[in-house]
Amino acid sequence: MKNILKKQSILFMLMMLFSLTTNAQARKKAERDTQEWRYEIEVVQTGTQGTYLIKVWSYSKKPDVAIEQAKKNAVHGIIFKGFTGKATVPGQKALTDNVNLEVEKEDFFKPFFEDGGKYMKFVSMSNDGAVAAEDRMKVGKEYKVGVVLSVNVSALRKDLEAAGIIKSLGAGFN
């Protein structure tokens, strides 16, 4: 009886270890996908004052990973890329025009964009994270997933200004 319990305990621990290892590998893969910053942004509509309502198209081999990474991609896009407008909604420039800022301020941005990092304060999913069927496509060996997100740009700007990452809007004016 003791041998059976011992074997079951060992088997259970091995299964748990395998599960944890698999999850860690998936997170590392998601981080690699994110560090490449492969995404597209399109405007959806004007959000409440100080926010942008955008659709972010993210790429990953797993649709769930693409959905989760869309939050990081949205904030990254607002800071570094901006987006073009459409007939009824104007586009927006990036918060910075310094193409080297992410490298120059790596000590700030690396922890900022970590899983659960500070970027999470500025982004939220609209429609409870539900993805429409037409917003989930198989492209080659990976998925392209479109997620509608709300980004609090005014709070993001204030935070980046307070940290000395970007200049305030009034800097340089008298």
Side-chain angles (χ1 to χ4, degrees):
M1 183 70 175
K2 286 184 182 182
N3 276 343
I4 293 173
L5 284 174
K6 235 183 225 186
K7 287 179 183 179
Q8 286 179 338
S9 295
I10 290 172
L11 183 62
F12 177 74
M13 288 191 311
L14 286 173
M15 287 175 27
M16 290 299 294
L17 181 63
F18 177 74
S19 175
L20 290 173
T21 303
T22 303
N23 285 338
Q25 288 173 347
R27 281 194 304 274
K28 284 182 184 178
K29 173 64 176 135
E31 280 303 309
R32 279 194 303 269
D33 286 349
T34 299
Q35 288 173 359
E36 293 175 13
W37 298 114
R38 290 180 32 218
Y39 60 87
E40 301 160 26
I41 296 179
E42 63 184 59
V43 66
V44 174
Q45 67 183 40
T46 305
T48 60
Q49 188 166 353
T51 66
Y52 297 158
L53 194 60
I54 57 176
K55 182 181 287 187
V56 178
W57 294 90
S58 299
Y59 299 84
S60 182
K61 288 188 177 185
K62 296 184 178 182
D64 294 344
V65 171
I67 292 169
E68 192 57 36
Q69 296 306 314
K71 295 175 191 174
K72 286 182 188 181
N73 292 339
V75 174
H76 186 271
I78 296 298
I79 296 171
F80 298 105
K81 287 187 176 182
F83 55 86
T84 57
K86 59 183 184 181
T88 57
V89 185
Q92 296 294 322
K93 289 180 17 181
L95 294 181
T96 182
D97 56 3
N98 180 351
V99 295
N100 298 318
L101 184 66
E102 191 171 7
V103 174
E104 292 171 7
K105 303 288 186 177
E106 182 181 8
D107 55 329
F108 175 84
F109 285 113
K110 191 167 179 118
F112 183 85
F113 283 114
E114 282 181 350
D115 283 345
K118 197 171 183 181
Y119 76 94
M120 293 288 291
K121 287 177 35 178
F122 309 106
V123 63
S124 61
M125 290 193 165
S126 66
N127 63 357
D128 297 325
V131 177
E134 64 270 13
D135 290 342
R136 184 184 307 230
M137 299 172 234
K138 183 88 167 158
V139 180
K141 292 184 177 182
E142 60 187 1
Y143 288 90
K144 178 180 178 181
V145 181
V147 180
V148 178
L149 300 161
S150 175
V151 180
N152 187 336
V153 181
S154 59
L156 176 61
R157 173 181 285 285
K158 285 178 189 173
D159 191 74
L160 294 174
E161 287 173 358
I165 303 300
I166 61 172
K167 294 178 183 171
S168 67
L169 289 174
F173 293 73
N174 289 332

